[in-house]
Amino acid sequence: MTILQQLDSPLIRRALLEAVLVGALCGAVGVHVLLRRLPFFTLALSHAAFPGVVLASLLGVSVYLGGALASLGLVLAVAAIGSSRRLEASTATGVALAGAFAVGVLLQSAQSGGSRDLAAFLVGDVLTVSPRDLATTAAFGLIVVGGLALFHKDLVFAAFDPVGAKAAGYRTAGLEVLVLALVALTVVTSIRAVGTILAVALLVTPALTARQWTDEIGRMMALSALFGALAGVGGIAASAQWSVAGGSAIALTATGLLVITVAFQQARRALLPGGRQPSGVTAGRCG
Amino acid sequence: MVRLLVEPFRDAYMQRALIEVLLLSGLAGIVSVYVLLRRLAFVGDALTHTIFPGVAIAFVAGQSLFLGALVAGLLSAVLLTWASRIPTVDQDAALGVLVGAFFSLGVVIVSTRQSYTADLTALLFGRILTVDTAEIIQTAVITAAVLVVLALLHKELVLRAFDPVAAEAMGYRVMALDLVVNGLVALVVVAGVRAVGTVLVIALLVVPGAIARLVTDRIGGLLVVSVGAAALCGYVGLAASYEASLNHRVRVGSGATIVVALTVAFLGAATVTTLVRRRRPAPTTPQADPVPA
C-alpha cells in the first residue's frame, strides 16, 4: 500500500483528514437528503455553487463565501419559479441549474487560461487542502451536525408526515428551509475535497448504503457517516496507489461499498427466505 | 442590427456551428416537451453525466468519441430505467448514485493522462466552433431517428405521461415506453454533448419546454413554442458570443452564451405571462401527475 509509506507527508495526512471529515459529514446529512427526496435539488445546488466559486476566485475572496451566496440564490430562484404553479419543482430546479451553471462557465471563459482551476472546482483537488481549509471544514461540519442534532426529532417528523407535523404546531416551512440550508452548507464544505459535481455522490450513496442495513434513522445516520468516512480513506488510498483523481476515487469507493452491500443483502435474502425485507423508508410516497 | 445578426455567419465555421445549433434545437426542443411532461429534468441531467465515462474511454483509447458516447448513453438509459423500478429505492436516489459513479469513473479514466485538466474541460464544455461536416451529419441522422420514433409513439407516450395506471390497464408496456423516452433523451445528449458540452445539452433539454409551458397548455403548441424558442436562442447566442469575442474583446464561450440566452428568454416569458395572467383567472394545470389522487 503506497498510502502507508506516504503517511509521513503532511500533504497526505491533511488529505486523509479532509476526506474523512467531508465523508462523515456528507454521510450524516445524506440521510436527510434521502428522506426528503432531495438528490436532484442537491445536484442543482452543487452546480449553482459553481458560478459563485468561480466569481469568488476571480475577485480573490473566499470560495466558501462565494459558493454559499450562490447556493442561497439558487434556493430563492427555485422557490420563485416553483411558486408560479405552472411549472413543478423538478422543471424549476432544472432551469435554475442550467442558468447558474452557464453563468459560471461564462465567467470562467471570460478569464483566460483557467482550465486547471476550473477542473479543480468541478471535481475537487483534495491533495492541496491547506490547514485553513481543514479548519473551515471542521467548523462548518460542527455547525451542520449541531443543527441536525438539535432539531433531529422535528426534522424526522416533518419529513415523514408534513401534515401531521404542521397540525402538531411545528413550523414545517422553517424546518424545510433549515434542511436546505444545511445541505447547501455541506455541499459548499465538500467542494475542496470532491468538487461541485461529485458532492452529490457523497450525499446520496453512503446514505443509501446505510439504508440497506437499518430502518432506524439515528442508526442510519451513524452508519452513513461511517460509510462516508470509509469512502474517504479508501478513495485517498486508491488515489495514492494508482495516482488517479482523489475526489472521484472517493466517490467510486462509496459506490463500491453500496454495490457490496446490495450484493450481500441479496445473497442473504436468497439464502434465508422469510428474512427481514426492508420497508420503503423514504418519506412522502404513500401520502 | 442586420450587421449583428448576419455578419457573424459569413465564415464557413460559423455556418457549420449555426447548422449544428439549429439541428440540436429542433431535436432537443421536441424531446424537451416530453422531458417536461414526464418530469425528467433530473434524468436528463443524469444522462449528461453518465455518458461521460464512455467519452473518456473512447478518448483515451483513441476511438470515435461519438461511438463511446452512444454506447454509454444507451447503456445508462437502460440502467436508469431499471434502477428507477426497484421498489425499495427511490428513483432520485438511484439517479444520484448513478451520476456519482459514472461521472467519477470518467474522471478517473481521464486523470490517468498527463494533460488531464485541459482534456476534461474540452469534454465538459464542447467546442461548437470546430464542429465538422461529419458531426453535423451524425446529428442530422439522430434527429431523423428520434423524430420517426416520436411520430410513431406520440399518443402512447402522452397517455403514459398523464395516466400511467390507465396506460398499464390498457395493455401498454409502461416500462418499455419509459425505456424509449430515456433512450431518446440519451440520444439527444449523445448528439449534443460532444459538440456543445454538458452545460448546453441539459439547458436545451429543460429550458425550451419550460418556456413553452409558460406560454401554452396544448401539446401541439408546446412542441412548436419549444422548438422555436430553442432555435431563436441558439441563433442569438451564437451571434452574441461572436460579437462579444470579436468586436468587444470579451472571450465568452458560445455554448454558455446560448444557455444564458435561453435563461433570459425564460425570465422574459415568465415576467410577461405573470403580468398577463394577473388580469385573468388562473388556468388549470395539465401537467402529468405521477401519483393518481
Side-chain angles (χ1 to χ4, degrees):
Chain A
M1 291 289 277
T2 320
I3 185 83
L4 294 177
Q5 291 142 28
Q6 291 179 351
L7 270 181
D8 292 338
S9 143
L11 214 68
I12 291 287
R13 279 203 302 246
R14 279 205 297 270
L16 260 180
L17 191 56
E18 170 84 5
V20 167
L21 281 177
V22 166
L25 176 65
C26 287
V29 178
V31 171
H32 282 278
V33 169
L34 218 58
L35 278 182
R36 286 179 180 257
R37 326 173 104 215
L38 293 174
F40 186 38
F41 184 80
T42 309
L43 191 67
L45 261 184
S46 61
H47 285 58
F50 175 63
V53 170
V54 172
L55 192 61
S57 89
L58 283 182
L59 297 176
V61 298
S62 156
V63 293
Y64 295 110
L65 184 70
L69 286 180
S71 307
L72 186 69
L74 178 103
V75 174
L76 296 178
V78 170
I81 300 175
S83 70
S84 80
R85 296 192 131 262
R86 285 179 72 84
L87 293 170
E88 43 82 42
S90 79
T91 308
T93 312
V95 172
L97 177 159
F101 204 42
V103 171
V105 177
L106 265 192
L107 285 172
Q108 182 72 33
S109 65
Q111 167 215 36
S112 48
S115 71
R116 155 113 208 113
D117 298 340
L118 178 68
F121 294 141
L122 286 172
V123 298
D125 201 355
V126 70
L127 288 177
T128 61
V129 287
S130 63
R132 234 181 114 196
D133 289 326
L134 268 179
T136 315
T137 307
F140 282 6
L142 273 181
I143 297 175
V144 172
V145 171
L148 287 181
L150 211 56
F151 293 97
H152 180 71
K153 272 192 186 150
D154 317 33
L155 286 173
V156 173
F157 186 16
F160 276 96
D161 188 356
V163 182
K166 200 165 187 176
Y170 288 100
R171 296 171 59 183
T172 46
L175 288 172
E176 177 94 33
V177 171
L178 177 69
V179 172
L180 297 184
L182 291 180
V183 172
L185 200 55
T186 309
V187 168
V188 172
T189 309
S190 47
I191 285 177
R192 283 298 309 196
V194 290
T196 54
I197 294 182
L198 292 176
V200 70
L202 269 187
L203 272 163
V204 175
T205 312
L208 199 60
T209 313
R211 205 242 145 296
Q212 309 300 316
W213 292 101
T214 176
D215 286 340
E216 204 270 312
I217 303 291
R219 213 171 292 156
M220 204 185 293
M221 288 174 73
L223 261 182
S224 176
L226 177 70
F227 287 133
L230 270 180
V233 175
I236 297 291
S239 168
Q241 187 81 25
W242 296 292
S243 56
V244 292
S248 307
I250 295 173
L252 276 184
T253 313
T255 317
L257 288 173
L258 175 65
V259 170
I260 293 170
T261 295
V262 169
F264 175 77
Q265 299 282 17
Q266 292 284 350
R268 195 170 70 166
R269 222 163 290 151
L271 292 178
L272 302 169
R276 187 185 70 90
Q277 296 279 334
S279 50
V281 82
T282 307
R285 173 146 276 183
C286 47
Chain B
M1 194 64 204
V2 174
R3 186 187 66 79
L4 283 181
L5 291 179
V6 176
E7 195 174 287
F9 302 102
R10 289 241 176 90
D11 298 321
Y13 77 95
M14 282 299 282
Q15 287 166 5
R16 282 197 297 270
L18 182 64
I19 294 173
E20 174 80 10
V21 165
L22 290 180
L23 272 174
L24 280 174
S25 302
L27 173 64
I30 289 174
V31 176
S32 175
V33 171
Y34 296 88
V35 169
L36 174 88
L37 291 178
R38 289 281 320 284
R39 307 171 172 207
L40 292 180
F42 192 15
V43 171
D45 193 46
L47 281 169
T48 60
H49 292 90
T50 53
I51 77 156
F52 182 57
V55 178
I57 292 173
F59 179 73
V60 170
Q63 296 292 315
S64 149
L65 298 189
F66 178 74
L67 202 65
L70 192 66
V71 172
L74 294 180
L75 185 69
S76 44
V78 172
L79 264 178
L80 287 182
T81 313
W82 171 75
S84 61
R85 293 188 77 89
I86 303 174
T88 53
V89 174
D90 183 49
Q91 177 180 11
D92 280 9
L95 285 174
V97 171
L98 284 176
V99 167
F102 271 64
F103 191 79
S104 322
L105 192 63
V107 175
V108 163
I109 292 166
V110 180
S111 75
T112 55
R113 310 242 319 170
Q114 285 293 320
S115 55
Y116 147 53
T117 48
D119 297 340
L120 182 66
T121 313
L123 291 177
L124 282 175
F125 301 110
R127 293 197 172 118
I128 188 155
L129 296 185
T130 61
V131 73
D132 61 25
T133 314
E135 289 174 347
I136 292 178
I137 291 173
Q138 285 166 355
T139 310
V141 169
I142 288 188
T143 307
V146 169
L147 289 184
V148 167
V149 173
L150 283 179
L152 291 175
L153 287 176
H154 176 74
K155 259 197 274 183
E156 286 81 358
L157 292 176
V158 172
L159 171 67
R160 186 264 172 263
F162 281 93
D163 196 344
V165 180
E168 188 109 36
M170 287 162 77
Y172 291 113
R173 298 177 55 188
V174 169
M175 187 168 171
L177 290 174
D178 289 357
L179 188 59
V180 167
V181 173
N182 288 346
L184 293 181
V185 174
L187 281 179
V188 175
V189 174
V190 169
V193 85
R194 190 180 28 110
V196 297
T198 311
V199 189
L200 179 55
V201 169
I202 179 61
L204 277 177
L205 273 173
V206 177
V207 186
I211 295 175
R213 183 65 193 82
L214 288 169
V215 179
T216 175
D217 288 340
R218 303 188 58 84
I219 303 260
L222 283 175
L223 290 169
V224 172
V225 176
S226 179
V227 170
L232 187 68
C233 293
Y235 180 79
V236 170
L238 262 187
S241 75
Y242 181 88
E243 174 69 18
S245 309
L246 218 68
N247 296 335
H248 300 286
R249 307 255 157 231
V250 185
R251 300 188 332 134
V252 291
S254 331
T257 313
I258 294 173
V259 181
V260 171
L262 277 167
T263 314
V264 170
F266 174 82
L267 291 177
T271 313
V272 170
T273 50
T274 311
L275 290 178
V276 169
R277 244 168 231 118
R278 285 259 166 89
R279 302 180 197 158
R280 277 190 290 162
T284 53
T285 309
Q287 196 134 45
D289 194 349
V291 186

